């Protein structure tokens, strides 16, 4: 992954002769059985074994995983390279992201970059645009994969050669075993059911649901020129997603470590990155201020242009 290139580029994807529109949606047995098993176990075990202690642990572990791993480790560091940190810290954050339970790091990067690239094309497949009705999109995204007729290829660069990340990619489901053991020792089966099954189900389902909404309905500040799919913000999801739900901002400035750009837009992940910076553990943090006049953007509401630029520069 060459982070010296255009920060707005889709870093791992090589799109020579690729077509984002033609393809077939196929059942993905690995992720389908995993996601389905976690959901059934949540309904069959977590709900009957409910305790307030287990539920509090579920909230804390889900929030910590989404903050440290999914948002900071996977998305803002590994995928976009929006800040720099020591390799040992990056690996810890990526392990936490893997422990969220959606998939391994390589699958997450490829899935993100394929969708990011496709949505910038004038036309892309309904699967990549979240264009189908909610129940169909839920089945597609959590139980299927898209097989493009002319797919792009991927070059993961440094991270693809990292032996630790190769290990995580091969064993991402098994990473739940030591966590389950610790939870059992701490609180018994109720903690395992809520700390593994319910946590993974909430993370997988929430990841799909917010992504579905973020490409269909909600506030917009910017439109990306020539993109076939535009993004929307999902304000109510800002806190549970740690700032990821300001998706319109992210489409406009994908390389930015700060996604909540305007007053009142909560972004806990960016605050955590600033904490790392204060501790001397993060540097070269990218923010959108120098990019506010990016030529590929058009204000969604022309009357708000001056105000939005002023707020962005003053933040």
């Amino acid at each position: 992954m060459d982070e010296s290139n255009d920060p707005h580029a889709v870093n791992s994807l090589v799109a020579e002769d690729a077509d984002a529109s033609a393809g077939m949606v196929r059942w993905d047995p690995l992720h389908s059985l995993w996601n389905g098993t976690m959901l059934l176990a949540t309904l069959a075990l977590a709900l009957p074994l409910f305790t307030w202690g287990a539920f509090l642990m579920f909230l804390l572990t889900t929030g910590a995983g989404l903050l440290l791993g999914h948002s900071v480790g996977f998305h803002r560091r590994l995928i976009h390279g929006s800040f720099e940190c020591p390799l040992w810290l990056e690996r810890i954050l990526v392990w936490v992201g893997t422990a969220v339970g959606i998939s391994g790091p390589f699958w997450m990067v490829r899935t993100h970059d394929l969708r990011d690239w496709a949505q910038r094309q004038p036309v892309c497949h309904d699967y990549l645009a979240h264009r189908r009705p909610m129940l169909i999109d839920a089945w597609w995204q959590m139980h299927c994969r898209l097989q493009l007729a002319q797919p792009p290829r991927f070059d993961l660069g440094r991270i693809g050669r990292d032996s630790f990340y190769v290990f995580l990619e091969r064993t991402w489901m098994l990473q739940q075993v030591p966590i389950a053991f610790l939870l059992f020792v701490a609180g018994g089966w109720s903690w395992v059911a809520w700390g593994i099954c319910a946590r993974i189900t909430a993370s997988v389902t929430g990841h799909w649901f917010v992504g579905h909404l973020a490409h269909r309905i909600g506030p917009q500040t910017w439109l990306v020129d020539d993109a076939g799919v535009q993004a929307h913000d999902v304000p109510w999801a800002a806190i549970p997603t740690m700032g990821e739900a300001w998706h319109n901002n992210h489409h406009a400035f994908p390389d930015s470590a700060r996604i909540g750009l305007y007053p009142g837009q909560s972004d806990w992940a960016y605050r955590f990155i600033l904490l790392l910076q204060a501790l001397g553990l993060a540097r070269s943090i990218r923010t959108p201020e120098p990019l506010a006049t990016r030529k590929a953007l058009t204000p969604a509401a022309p009357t708000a242009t001056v105000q939005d630029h002023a707020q962005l520069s003053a933040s």
Side-chain angles (χ1 to χ4, degrees), residues 116-287:
D116 192 355
W117 162 75
Q119 290 175 356
R120 298 185 194 194
Q121 308 310 305
V123 180
C124 75
H125 194 281
D126 286 354
Y127 176 98
L128 297 166
H130 293 278
R131 207 174 276 127
R132 291 298 180 94
M134 184 174 291
L135 291 181
I136 295 176
D137 192 55
W139 171 253
W140 277 10
Q141 304 299 331
M142 292 187 282
H143 297 275
C144 301
R145 60 182 174 83
L146 176 64
Q147 184 176 323
L148 287 173
Q150 295 176 252
R153 64 182 180 87
F154 294 88
D155 179 4
L156 297 178
R158 171 185 66 83
I159 67 170
R161 297 186 297 271
D162 190 300
S163 59
F164 181 64
Y165 297 153
V166 172
F167 169 73
L168 290 182
E169 183 67 20
R170 292 173 177 172
T171 64
W172 65 271
M173 289 183 284
L174 294 177
Q175 299 305 315
Q176 304 302 324
V177 173
I179 301 173
F181 175 77
L182 294 175
L183 290 172
F184 180 77
V185 171
W189 287 114
S190 65
W191 278 44
V192 175
W194 280 92
I196 300 294
C197 305
R199 173 179 58 80
I200 291 174
T201 295
S203 299
V204 170
T205 306
H207 181 257
W208 157 73
F209 184 55
V210 174
H212 178 81
L213 296 179
H215 296 96
R216 294 176 67 90
I217 190 170
Q220 292 178 303
T221 304
W222 304 101
L223 299 177
V224 180
D225 298 348
D226 300 323
V229 179
Q230 300 293 338
H232 303 260
D233 293 329
V234 188
W236 64 264
I239 291 178
T241 62
M242 307 301 164
E244 298 290 330
W246 306 113
H247 204 61
N248 180 260
N249 295 343
H250 179 59
H251 270 224
F253 305 103
D255 61 310
S256 176
R258 179 159 60 101
I259 299 178
L261 300 180
Y262 305 110
Q265 294 187 341
S266 171
D267 190 347
W268 288 15
Y270 178 62
R271 296 300 174 187
F272 180 76
I273 293 170
L274 292 181
L275 174 62
L276 292 178
Q277 182 185 47
L279 296 173
L281 295 174
R283 62 188 184 280
S284 303
I285 300 173
R286 294 175 176 170
T287 56

Side-chain angles (χ1 to χ4, degrees), residues 12-16 18 151-155:
S12 77
L13 186 141
V14 181
E16 297 171 358
R153 64 182 180 87
F154 294 88
D155 179 4

